[in-house]
Amino acid sequence: MTSPTLISERDAAGAYALLATAAEDPSVLAVLSDEELLALEGLEGAELAGSPFLEASGFDREQAAAVAARSLIARGLVVLDESRQQPEGEDLETGQTVTRAAQLDPTLAGLLTLRGMPLAILNLTRQVEEQATSLMLYVFPQDGILEELVTADGFHHFSLPTRSVVPERLARYVDQAQVAGEEDGESVTGTAAELEADSPIGRRLADTRALTVITSASGEGSSQLSVMATATSVHAMDTPSSPEDRVEVREISAGSLRELLARILPSVSAA
């Protein structure tokens, strides 16, 4: 429906306006389904943060996108009538005047522009038994961070928190039962086989109730770590690249969890 590589002056203005609304306790800007993101951004954009409903349903993706597009038009989020469209201005890359057969609601246009132009990304995928959710953060030089929470049933909830509150928000996501203690515990180093063996640390990790894999990617590279929340504690370890790698598993306190999440959140500059 849209051209993902084209950014008009209207798109950019909407994106900057949204970043300016970032708050310590942000409201949800929009909720989009897997099918709606597919209709708006195509296959690559829809799969950026995962499409759990579409992946599980087996629906024909073209048909699902067509139905979603009709819903977006009916709700006024997509406008086809040229007489009701606002001027798009110029394409920021080519300087040519932009015309579109379908124009997005200003908030939606700004939201998808932000989603497509971060300078760094942080992804958290949380597994509880057979159900997975994910949290994607799109990082910019400005204070606002676009947050996309993807539920197991394929709904994408977008909000804009300020950077200062993100570590606490991530900590609540990773440790929803709030089992992290007030003090750090022991650290144990070993291979995957050693850590999974019948040992004190192995038995504690076998009690993992929620596993969160955290991946950070920016122009400076990428990193990944895993956080395990058991019934009584929270443990963190770097993700090994092979079963033979020796890694350190650390029992971390609630404060250390927030500090860890603050460190792994990428910093970017406009330069």
Side-chain angles (χ1 to χ4, degrees):
M1 180 179 294
T2 62
S3 302
T5 58
L6 185 155
I7 299 178
S8 70
E9 290 178 309
R10 179 176 180 268
D11 295 332
Y16 285 116
L18 286 179
L19 285 175
T21 69
E24 293 183 357
D25 186 18
S27 58
V28 175
L29 291 170
V31 180
L32 297 172
S33 67
D34 286 350
E35 310 95 288
E36 289 170 335
L37 278 175
L38 180 62
L40 291 165
E41 296 201 305
L43 187 60
E44 183 176 351
E47 293 186 340
L48 181 62
S51 304
F53 173 75
L54 286 176
E55 292 168 5
S57 68
F59 289 162
D60 180 271
R61 296 204 169 204
E62 288 189 8
Q63 293 181 3
V67 172
R70 284 176 52 82
S71 174
L72 291 166
I73 294 167
R75 288 150 54 197
L77 296 176
V78 174
V79 177
L80 301 181
D81 185 348
E82 290 185 11
S83 67
R84 295 173 49 218
Q85 293 183 3
Q86 301 170 345
E88 288 281 353
E90 296 180 350
D91 178 357
L92 297 188
E93 183 174 346
T94 66
Q96 296 179 346
T97 300
V98 175
T99 58
R100 285 173 168 152
Q103 185 176 75
L104 304 186
D105 163 88
T107 297
L108 191 55
L111 183 66
L112 295 185
T113 300
L114 289 177
R115 192 175 187 264
M117 55 177 285
L119 295 186
I121 290 176
L122 185 69
N123 174 261
L124 295 84
T125 300
R126 185 174 186 268
Q127 185 79 33
V128 179
E129 296 182 350
E130 299 301 317
Q131 189 174 83
T133 62
S134 65
L135 192 63
M136 183 79 83
L137 280 78
Y138 305 85
V139 184
F140 309 92
Q142 293 82 358
D143 188 38
I145 288 180
L146 179 63
E147 182 182 279
E148 178 179 357
L149 172 64
V150 187
T151 60
D153 50 1
F155 288 101
H156 302 244
H157 301 249
F158 294 93
S159 57
L160 272 164
T162 56
R163 186 182 180 94
S164 62
V165 301
V166 166
E168 178 63 36
R169 290 171 69 88
L170 298 184
R172 291 200 301 267
Y173 178 73
V174 170
D175 182 19
Q176 293 187 6
Q178 297 184 335
V179 296
E182 296 183 359
E183 301 290 339
D184 292 340
E186 66 174 347
S187 297
V188 178
T189 302
T191 64
E194 292 169 345
L195 295 173
E196 293 171 0
D198 185 17
S199 63
I201 187 61
R203 288 190 290 272
R204 295 190 74 177
L205 295 181
D207 185 43
T208 296
R209 308 298 174 89
L211 168 64
T212 304
V213 178
I214 306 173
T215 305
S216 173
S218 68
E220 297 180 355
S222 62
S223 62
Q224 188 176 82
L225 63 88
S226 300
V227 179
M228 294 77 69
T230 72
T232 59
S233 57
V234 173
H235 303 259
M237 72 172 184
D238 292 332
T239 302
S241 57
S242 72
E244 292 75 28
D245 286 349
R246 297 184 65 81
V247 294
E248 181 186 34
V249 179
R250 312 177 300 280
E251 180 182 347
I252 55 177
S253 65
S256 293
L257 175 61
R258 289 191 296 272
E259 292 173 2
L260 175 66
L261 294 169
R263 287 198 304 272
I264 201 171
L265 179 64
S267 295
V268 296
S269 64

